Amino acid sequence: MAKILFVVTGARHWTLADGSQHPTGFWAEEFVAPYEAFTQAGHEVVVATPGGVVPVVDEGSLSPDMNGGQENADAIADKVRSNPALQQVVPLDSVSLDDYIAVFYPGGHGPMEDLAVDATSGALLNDIIDSGKPLGVVCHAPAALLAATRTDGSATFAGYQVTGFSNAEEAQAGLADKAKWLLQDRLVELGVDYQEGEPWEPKVVVDRTLFTGQNPASSAPLAEKILSALA
């Protein structure tokens, strides 16, 4: 059974422009949908976080509004809380890329807090993109790309076509005017070729071995694209 590494935020809050802490974590659908796709295809998922902390789910991602009703919300909450990989977490700095056939970063606002400035994650991103193995990143998780730089200081992902949570979606979610910075803006500043789809509609962008999804609805189709590349 081949292993796929999930790099998950260890943050429990996102610091806003006024210094207040917005409760967050990882987004449920962005973990569950790819996890199910990969494991049903016969792969094992291993979760790594900065410091090996047990990650927390963003409670907002378990709401009925975000899941098409209470029944679906209860179902995804059960999947998160019973998931063994989320309880058997390894420290990110202990990871050996040789053990994995692909790496996947789920989103949620958490990566804006920790992975965006995590040097260990940045080094892993350099290694995975250089290895030729698939790298999947969804929604707010492209914030992690900000930490990936080369020895000369250049941005590893400059010039790549990338999507991620858009300014329009952040505004519709009600947090754009409270944020220190917006993901779309930072990605553009990084030098990526940002690709924007319609708010909340699935959008997947593939450039070489980098697979990115714009929002939670993109999680499942993103995973399928990665599985196709692994086939």
Side-chain angles (χ1 to χ4, degrees):
M1 182 184 294
K3 295 181 180 180
I4 296 177
L5 180 70
F6 274 35
V7 180
V8 179
T9 177
R12 293 171 176 263
H13 69 267
W14 176 35
T15 305
L16 301 178
D18 65 359
S20 63
Q21 296 183 346
H22 176 72
T24 188
F26 67 89
W27 198 258
E29 182 179 0
E30 295 166 24
F31 180 92
V32 170
Y35 178 90
E36 291 184 339
F38 294 142
T39 55
Q40 288 169 9
H43 302 299
E44 177 186 352
V45 169
V46 175
V47 172
T49 63
V53 301
V54 175
V56 299
V57 66
D58 188 315
E59 291 295 330
S61 68
L62 303 179
S63 70
D65 288 347
M66 290 294 176
N67 293 284
Q70 189 65 53
E71 183 176 353
N72 290 341
D74 291 343
I76 200 167
D78 287 343
K79 289 176 180 179
V80 167
R81 289 168 182 148
S82 65
N83 188 288
L86 285 169
Q87 302 303 319
Q88 300 167 1
V89 179
V90 301
L92 186 56
D93 61 6
S94 72
V95 165
S96 172
L97 186 58
D98 291 341
D99 296 336
Y100 303 96
I101 61 168
V103 176
F104 188 85
Y105 280 65
H109 281 107
M112 303 273 281
E113 185 75 17
D114 59 356
L115 296 177
V117 294
D118 190 286
T120 301
S121 173
L124 176 66
L125 289 168
N126 284 346
D127 291 344
I128 181 70
I129 209 68
D130 290 344
S131 75
K133 298 176 181 180
L135 168 62
V137 194
V138 68
C139 201
H140 286 92
L145 305 185
L146 303 176
T149 57
R150 299 299 190 181
T151 54
D152 64 0
S154 62
T156 302
F157 293 94
Y160 276 79
Q161 290 190 340
V162 174
T163 192
F165 205 64
S166 68
N167 289 356
E169 287 166 321
E170 202 73 84
Q172 290 176 25
L175 288 168
D177 60 349
K178 301 176 182 178
K180 287 183 179 180
W181 49 272
L182 298 177
L183 178 60
Q184 179 178 341
D185 292 345
R186 281 290 176 89
L187 290 173
V188 170
E189 291 169 6
L190 191 68
V192 309
D193 180 5
Y194 180 81
Q195 305 286 305
E196 182 176 0
E198 291 297 317
W200 313 110
E201 294 297 319
K203 183 175 180 61
V204 174
V205 174
V206 181
D207 187 345
R208 289 158 275 183
T209 56
L210 176 63
F211 298 72
T212 54
Q214 181 170 318
N215 46 36
S218 306
S219 303
L222 178 61
E224 292 303 324
K225 286 281 190 183
I226 295 170
L227 285 171
S228 295
L230 291 170

